[in-house]
Amino acid sequence: MRLTTKGRFAVTAMLDLALRQAGGPVTLAGISERQHISLSYLEQLFGKLRRRELVDSVRGPGGGYCLARPAAEITVAAIICAVDEPLDATQCGGKENCLDDKRCMTHDLWASLNRTIYDYLSGITLAQLIDEQHEKQRRKTECVLIDQRHKELTGAAPSL
């Protein structure tokens, strides 16, 4: 089973968009710069995401992209499927013809893995990923504040 760059980049770009859209439409150039994903690649991905109605585009000055629905309604699986990324661990693509046009002995194992992965990714929403990012940022900020306070009180860095 391989989740390729296309699926990973699509999820990363959607999370970047979701985290920043409160400030208005988000440009692909901004996502490209922050996430180190080629602009032309993002344009391809967002074309597919728009056709699947996961994002809306806003034209003109101040334009860009925003989510087409609430983040709680967009799953990781939906994003990956939108960019035509197959989640398939079988060698035959589910056609059951991987061993001289016959089903291999381990087909059911790989097909079951496909279902498990899809079910897992279907259970994770963009809203959950946003919450995780906010929590990481909160903890990071908290550590910086504690470190600063310690330096103010002792004049030295904390020893961990």
Side-chain angles (χ1 to χ4, degrees):
M1 164 78 203
R2 232 178 90 223
L3 177 60
T4 66
T5 302
K6 186 189 297 185
R8 280 194 294 274
F9 281 178
V11 173
T12 299
M14 285 288 284
L15 180 55
D16 185 291
L17 168 68
L19 286 166
R20 289 172 175 77
Q21 75 171 1
V26 178
T27 66
L28 293 185
I31 295 172
S32 174
E33 186 176 312
R34 286 185 297 274
Q35 302 305 326
H36 307 286
I37 303 171
S38 128
L39 182 57
S40 62
Y41 200 67
L42 284 173
E43 288 168 348
Q44 293 172 29
L45 293 176
F46 273 74
K48 292 178 180 191
L49 293 166
R50 189 177 46 76
R51 283 189 290 282
R52 285 293 191 85
E53 300 179 348
L54 295 179
V55 298
D56 285 326
S57 61
V58 178
R59 295 182 182 269
Y65 285 87
C66 54
L67 297 180
R69 347 183 239 232
E73 295 177 14
I74 300 174
T75 66
V76 172
I79 296 167
I80 293 169
C81 289
V83 296
D84 301 324
E85 186 66 22
L87 291 172
D88 190 5
T90 65
Q91 183 177 358
C92 60
K95 296 177 185 170
E96 300 184 16
N97 64 352
C98 49
L99 185 63
D100 298 325
D101 285 336
K102 295 178 186 160
R103 182 180 214 198
C104 69
M105 294 186 330
T106 55
H107 180 85
D108 290 336
L109 171 68
W110 306 127
S112 178
L113 177 60
N114 290 344
R115 285 188 299 277
T116 300
I117 292 170
Y118 184 81
D119 290 345
Y120 174 74
L121 296 176
S122 291
I124 300 172
T125 67
L126 209 45
Q128 289 171 297
L129 297 178
I130 292 166
D131 290 344
E132 287 176 13
Q133 290 300 309
H134 286 154
E135 179 61 21
K136 286 178 186 176
Q137 187 59 44
R138 186 195 64 75
R139 277 188 258 137
K140 183 177 176 182
T141 301
E142 191 175 272
C143 287
V144 168
L145 292 173
I146 290 170
D147 187 43
Q148 288 173 346
R149 182 69 177 141
H150 180 76
K151 286 178 183 176
E152 289 171 4
L153 292 173
T154 65
S159 59
L160 300 176

